[in-house]
């Protein structure tokens, strides 16, 4: 087996020992490549391991020829073009939570530094000046701390700041009032938080909708003398507008760990006495880095050597136990996808998947994506996987509808799949008898017992004597052994469909002969 090649764009390898010492892994460290180098470097690598020092833009992703995973050793994935990665079938993983406490403690350090002018006083005293008048600070007790984002870091900041005697309010559209109550935080609207906070601290991701969230207009809603803390991401606060409000005194002070462009050593904000800055140090503790590196090593080893995807941000992933439990179901969905991909006729418009009974409790993204991957594999020439298959289906105008019903029919767990094309609508019902015993138990609403494995000859005919016999004789004459056979029919003398599991491939001339038999239509040779 060829070694798994990993390109790492930062230097610190502490905590990555499991990966570094793995006999089938090669790690090449190329710290902070510029964008030109990066585009060439990426070729030939199976995985990319980054922090926030590089931007993984569309051109880098398009230049990658083997890349399967982009792993962000940290939380924020705003430096990765996730849309382009997804389209190319590349999994983007992050390590959420590993640096929560470090980022939380750094935020609190920034708040205290800002309120008591600690860095400014420190610098002045070290330059030989003892000045107590200049650095009159403010207490935290009794003040209102407004949090934008009440996820992992926001919540930890809230818990700790309560002990300073602060009142905590927060805006987070995805968090319930009940959760807020449990941790002592009042959940409010964005405008309420902007209007009421004495200190506003940011703990939300940078996305298209949060970029420039704090700007001239939102600053105008705030109290005179408000203080701003950003330990989340640069660009959520408009730096030019912040500069002007700090100069005017509307904003009393700011503490910033992150900047629009990083690294940066010159900014007009650095010239202001009421601004405290650090160079993106939120996660820079030994504990956080080791925790994250250990997790990165486990995640990449699990992915490449056990096929387990964890912490993916562009597909829902699952833990090891769930992954194992899902395997037979994934197997069934793959077989059904491949079966229908070869069985249906016409341009595909819609695929309706209904998970029934116990099936509905499983991770349906993985099941549906497994089906679509195998379905599309029958007619598109793209390297498909669970990440890009749903995207490619959408791009080709195929609508995928997923529903779940808890009550089962005859079988404990079934999946019903209807494919609508511009020529026909066909449906199948699949189930699992045991891990290796998969079945199609209905086809076009007619009871069936088809084992979706190996080679299947399928043909439709009017239900009359002799046809199946003739096909059997022809197969025998051509040395093709029949393993199993099922004839499904809607009614006596009505429409019949025959499915024959055979032991070897059937040549085109034999299939043509079957097609030409009187009463036979729709001959398909399905390879599973
Ligand atoms: P998280 O995902 O646990 O929490 C983010 C919260 O923001 C979520 O609860 C989410 O609901 C909320 N949110 C999303 N959109 C929002 C919006 N428009 N308005 C209000 N809330 C919104 O993430 P986290 O681990 O707490 O990290 C928070 C931020 O801190 C991220 O941007 C992360 O990249 C950054 N971070 C920075 C450092 C550092 O070194 N400075 C370290 C770690 C994390
Ligand atoms: C993160 O998002 O995890 C932090 O910003 C930490 C980092 O980039 O090092």
């Amino acid at each position: 087996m060829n070694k798994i090649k990993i390109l790492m764009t930062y230097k610190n390898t502490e905590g990555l020992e499991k990966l570094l010492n793995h006999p089938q892994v090669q790690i090449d460290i190329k710290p902070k490549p510029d964008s030109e180098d990066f585009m060439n470097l990426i070729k030939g690598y199976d995985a990319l391991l980054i922090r926030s020092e590089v931007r993984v833009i569309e051109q880098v992703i398009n230049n990658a020829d083997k890349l399967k995973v982009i792993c962000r050793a940290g939380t924020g994935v705003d430096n990765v073009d996730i849309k382009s990665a997804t389209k190319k079938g590349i999994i983007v993983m992050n390590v959420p939570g590993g640096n929560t406490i470090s980022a939380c403690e750094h935020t609190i350090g920034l708040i205290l530094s800002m309120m008591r002018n600690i860095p400014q006083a420190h610098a002045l005293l070290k330059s030989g000046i003892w000045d107590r008048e200049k650095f009159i600070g403010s207490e935290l007790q009794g003040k209102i701390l407004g949090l934008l984002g009440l996820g992992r870091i926001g919540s930890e900041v809230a818990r700790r700041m309560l002990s300073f005697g602060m009142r905590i309010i927060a805006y987070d559209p995805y968090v319930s009032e009940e959760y807020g109550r449990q941790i002592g935080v009042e959940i409010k609207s964005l405008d309420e938080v902007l209007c009421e906070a004495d200190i506003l601290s940011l703990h939300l991701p940078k996305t298209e909708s949060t970029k420039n969230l704090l700007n001239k207009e939102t600053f105008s809603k705030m109290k005179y003398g408000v203080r701003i803390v950003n330990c989340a991401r640069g660009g959520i606060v408009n730096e030019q507008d912040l500069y002007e409000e700090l100069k005017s005194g509307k904003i009393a002070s700011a503490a910033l760990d992150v900047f629009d462009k990083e690294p940066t050593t010159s900014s007009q904000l650095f010239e202001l006495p009421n601004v405290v800055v650090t160079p993106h140090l939120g996660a820079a503790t030994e504990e956080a880095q080791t925790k994250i590196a250990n997790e990165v090593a486990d995640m990449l080893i699990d992915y490449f050597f056990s096929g387990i995807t964890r912490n993916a941000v562009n597909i829902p992933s699952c833990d090891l136990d769930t992954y194992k439990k899902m395997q037979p179901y994934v197997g069934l969905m793959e077989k059904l996808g491949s079966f229908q991909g070869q069985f249906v006729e016409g341009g595909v418009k819609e695929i309706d998947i209904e998970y029934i009974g116990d099936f509905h409790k499983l991770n349906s993204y993985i099941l549906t994506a497994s089906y679509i991957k195998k379905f599309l594999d029958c007619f598109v020439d793209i390297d498909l996987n669970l990440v890009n298959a749903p995207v490619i289906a959408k791009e080709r105008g195929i609508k995928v509808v997923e529903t779940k019903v808890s009550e089962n029919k005859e079988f404990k767990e079934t999946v019903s799949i209807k494919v609508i094309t511009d020529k026909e609508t066909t449906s199948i019902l699949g189930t699992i008898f045991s891990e290796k015993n998969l079945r199609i138990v209905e086809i076009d609403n007619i009871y069936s017992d088809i084992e979706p494995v190996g080679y299947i000859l399928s043909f439709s005919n009017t239900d009359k004597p002799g046809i199946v016999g003739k096909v059997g004789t022809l197969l025998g004459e051509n040395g093709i052994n029949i393993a199993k056979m099922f004839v499904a029919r809607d009614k006596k003398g009505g429409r019949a469909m025959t499915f024959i599991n055979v032991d070897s491939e059937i040549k085109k001339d034999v299939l043509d002969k079957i097609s030409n038999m009187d009463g036979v239509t729709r001959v398909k040779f399905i390879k599973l």
Side-chain angles (χ1 to χ4, degrees):
M1 182 188 172
N2 286 340
K3 281 194 176 188
I4 300 297
K5 286 183 73 190
I6 302 177
L7 174 65
M8 185 171 159
T9 57
Y10 61 94
K11 277 193 212 146
N12 189 356
T13 58
E14 224 176 291
L16 287 176
E17 291 72 19
K18 259 197 213 167
L19 207 54
L20 291 163
N21 299 332
H22 198 290
Q24 279 163 311
V25 172
Q26 173 188 325
I27 300 191
D28 296 332
I29 303 174
K30 305 274 155 89
K32 292 188 198 161
D34 64 33
S35 33
E36 195 88 341
D37 282 348
F38 200 10
M39 274 188 251
N40 295 322
L41 265 177
I42 195 72
K43 291 194 176 116
Y45 283 99
D46 300 288
L48 174 65
L49 179 52
I50 57 164
R51 286 179 54 184
S52 55
E53 66 294 322
V54 284
R55 299 200 65 73
V56 189
I57 55 172
E58 188 181 3
Q59 289 93 321
V60 173
I61 289 169
N62 287 345
N63 261 23
D65 52 355
K66 290 198 168 154
L67 199 62
K68 291 156 198 82
V69 181
I70 299 170
C71 183
R72 162 72 162 98
T75 310
V77 282
D78 48 296
N79 55 335
V80 180
D81 183 341
I82 295 177
K83 211 168 158 195
S84 300
T86 305
K87 197 168 163 194
K88 216 165 164 199
I90 299 167
I91 294 171
V92 182
M93 298 172 172
N94 71 346
V95 187
N99 53 29
T100 300
I101 300 302
S102 295
C104 155
E105 290 178 358
H106 194 70
T107 304
I108 294 170
L110 287 174
I111 293 175
L112 290 168
S113 302
M114 176 182 73
M115 296 302 276
R116 304 303 297 271
N117 305 299
I118 296 169
Q120 298 91 327
H122 167 91
L124 202 64
L125 183 52
K126 282 209 162 178
S127 76
I129 300 172
W130 181 276
D131 190 341
R132 299 177 67 201
E133 303 298 312
K134 207 172 174 175
F135 298 118
I136 303 296
S138 293
E139 285 186 352
L140 293 173
Q141 180 158 284
K143 302 242 162 40
I144 301 176
L145 174 64
L147 302 174
L148 298 186
L150 194 64
R152 286 175 294 256
I153 300 170
S155 299
E156 293 301 332
V157 169
R159 285 191 180 98
R160 286 158 180 75
M161 295 318 279
L162 281 170
S163 67
F164 280 86
M166 295 193 85
R167 187 181 145 211
I168 322 275
I169 60 175
Y171 168 66
D172 189 323
Y174 309 105
V175 154
S176 68
E177 285 187 17
E178 177 49 31
Y179 173 73
R181 253 193 304 280
Q182 280 169 17
I183 62 165
V185 177
E186 297 162 49
I187 303 294
K188 301 214 167 218
S189 70
L190 177 60
D191 274 1
E192 283 170 334
V193 174
L194 296 179
C195 292
E196 292 175 33
D198 296 307
I199 301 171
L200 195 71
S201 189
L202 308 191
H203 302 288
L204 68 175
K206 182 179 178 182
T207 61
E208 274 315 306
S209 63
T210 63
K211 223 186 262 176
N212 264 321
L213 182 66
L214 294 196
N215 56 32
K216 212 172 187 51
E217 196 206 322
T218 39
F219 285 139
S220 73
K221 298 179 178 172
M222 297 180 194
K223 279 181 183 168
Y224 192 85
V226 66
R227 297 165 194 270
I228 307 291
V229 182
N230 188 3
C231 195
R233 274 293 175 275
I236 302 177
V237 182
N238 182 301
E239 289 179 2
Q240 181 60 35
D241 293 353
L242 176 67
Y243 174 78
E244 277 155 29
E245 301 294 348
L246 280 160
K247 274 206 91 154
S248 77
K250 162 85 197 234
I251 296 177
S253 57
L256 309 170
D257 183 46
V258 285
F259 301 88
D260 207 1
K261 289 204 174 60
E262 292 186 13
T264 181
T265 49
S266 77
S267 159
Q268 50 185 356
L269 287 163
F270 296 176
E271 291 154 21
L272 299 176
N274 46 350
V275 174
V276 171
V277 291
T278 47
H280 202 146
L281 291 185
T285 64
E286 278 173 24
E287 291 85 349
Q289 293 314 306
T290 309
K291 227 185 285 172
I292 289 173
N294 287 173
E295 180 71 4
V296 161
D298 286 343
M299 276 160 50
L300 289 174
I301 288 171
D302 276 354
Y303 177 77
F304 283 108
F305 302 105
S306 307
I308 300 163
T309 308
R310 290 198 281 134
N311 295 337
V313 299
N314 54 349
I315 56 163
S317 38
C318 54
D319 59 46
L320 186 54
D321 283 349
T322 316
Y323 174 83
K324 283 185 181 151
K325 201 174 144 216
M326 297 261 315
Q327 283 320 291
Y329 301 90
V330 167
L332 176 68
M333 293 307 284
E334 287 183 345
K335 292 289 185 203
L336 298 182
S338 191
F339 181 91
Q340 279 190 302
Q342 296 172 74
F343 186 71
V344 299
E345 291 183 351
V348 184
K349 294 202 301 198
E350 187 171 324
I351 299 172
D352 294 344
I353 304 181
E354 189 178 36
Y355 294 106
I356 306 162
D358 287 356
F359 231 108
H360 88 286
K361 296 179 195 150
L362 302 164
N363 179 330
S364 64
Y365 175 91
I366 293 179
L367 297 176
T368 299
S370 303
Y371 172 90
I372 295 172
K373 177 169 97 84
K374 287 293 185 179
F375 183 90
L376 292 181
D377 248 344
C378 302
F379 45 90
V380 303
D381 188 18
I382 298 174
D383 208 0
L384 292 162
N385 60 24
L386 298 193
V387 182
N388 64 356
V391 181
I392 304 291
K394 200 168 172 199
E395 268 184 10
R396 296 179 68 96
I398 302 174
K399 187 173 161 198
V400 179
V401 183
E402 214 183 76
T403 45
K404 295 179 175 188
V405 274
S406 52
E407 93 266 17
N408 47 304
K409 292 184 183 170
E410 197 179 334
F411 300 95
K412 198 163 163 256
E413 39 200 12
T414 48
V415 58
S416 160
I417 306 173
K418 184 162 77 181
V419 179
I420 304 167
T421 73
D422 50 17
K423 277 178 85 176
E424 62 181 21
T425 296
T426 56
S427 65
I428 52 175
L429 190 69
T431 194
I432 292 177
F433 288 163
S434 66
E435 192 165 334
K436 293 214 164 80
N437 210 345
L438 315 173
R439 281 293 187 286
I440 296 173
V441 288
E442 253 182 48
I443 186 148
D444 287 352
N445 300 317
I446 305 172
Y447 167 76
S448 71
D449 181 11
I450 305 161
E451 204 176 345
V453 288
Y455 300 120
I456 300 178
L457 167 67
S458 126
F459 55 91
S460 298
N461 56 282
T462 32
D463 183 33
K464 61 177 186 180
I467 295 181
V468 175
K470 271 196 224 156
V471 173
T473 307
L474 182 66
L475 293 179
E477 282 167 3
N478 285 277
I480 295 152
N481 193 39
I482 293 176
K484 202 175 165 192
M485 189 173 85
F486 188 82
V487 182
R489 62 176 186 181
D490 52 3
K491 57 177 194 286
K492 199 171 165 191
R495 184 165 78 102
M497 281 180 285
T498 303
F499 298 89
I500 307 177
N501 289 85
V502 292
D503 287 344
S504 52
E505 281 218 41
I506 305 179
K507 292 214 177 78
K508 188 173 175 308
D509 61 317
V510 179
L511 292 173
D512 287 345
K513 279 186 191 155
I514 299 171
S515 295
N516 292 333
M517 285 179 187
D518 188 31
V520 172
T521 54
R522 200 194 169 88
V523 177
K524 303 272 173 195
F525 184 57
I526 297 167
K527 298 181 200 174
L528 298 170

